[in-house]
Amino acid sequence: MNKKSATIYDISKKLNVSVATVSRALNDHPRISQATKDLVKKTAKEMNYKQNNLAKALKSGETKNVGIIVPFVNTNFFSSVIRGIEEELSPFGYHVIICQSHEDVNIEKRHLNTLLNAQV
């Protein structure tokens, strides 16, 4: 059975500290003591906290997602390019989203709009 993921509000309430303190501790802010960071991170792990990537992306303006639109993925050239992009970006926490256009300009436009709307 899956435990429900905790929020920073739940951690804040349990530790009797502000939500801002929890957020700063989880993000290694220099104004937060190492002891507080360790306690918050330990409690977050115990409470099954998972960072909300959507909220983080909205705040930072960065999704760490990269979109690739290719005609077909099953050609040696494009599969090699995709692999190279993934290998280079993955160590930096980026995710690659691959779309196929099937050499159709309308499909390509749809994919492009979808990626842009997702802030890719």
Side-chain angles (χ1 to χ4, degrees):
M1 179 168 47
N2 288 340
K3 284 198 287 183
K4 182 182 177 232
S5 293
T7 67
I8 60 173
Y9 299 97
D10 299 327
I11 298 166
S12 166
K13 186 175 180 180
K14 180 172 182 167
L15 296 177
N16 197 28
V17 297
S18 72
V19 172
T21 297
V22 173
S23 177
R24 288 181 183 129
L26 291 171
N27 290 298
D28 287 322
H29 194 281
R31 286 183 42 201
I32 304 299
S33 71
Q34 191 59 49
T36 300
K37 289 178 189 178
D38 293 343
L39 178 62
V40 168
K41 289 177 182 180
K42 179 179 178 244
T43 304
K45 186 174 182 177
E46 289 170 357
M47 294 180 72
N48 196 35
Y49 170 76
K50 302 283 187 260
Q51 189 172 34
N52 183 329
N53 290 327
L54 178 59
K56 184 178 179 182
L58 288 171
K59 182 178 178 186
S60 70
E62 183 177 79
T63 62
K64 295 256 182 189
N65 292 326
V66 174
I68 302 172
I69 303 173
V70 295
F72 302 99
V73 294
N74 63 343
T75 65
N76 284 338
F77 176 75
F78 289 117
S79 61
S80 295
V81 169
I82 292 166
R83 179 179 176 181
I85 291 170
E86 286 183 318
E87 287 175 354
E88 290 298 316
L89 295 180
S90 183
F92 298 102
Y94 284 85
H95 307 280
V96 177
I97 300 170
I98 304 160
C99 302
Q100 292 187 95
S101 69
H102 302 281
E103 295 184 342
D104 182 322
V105 71
N106 293 318
I107 293 173
E108 190 170 323
K109 286 178 183 177
R110 267 198 339 260
H111 286 319
L112 185 57
N113 284 327
T114 299
L115 293 171
L116 290 172
N117 286 332
Q119 295 182 320
V120 173

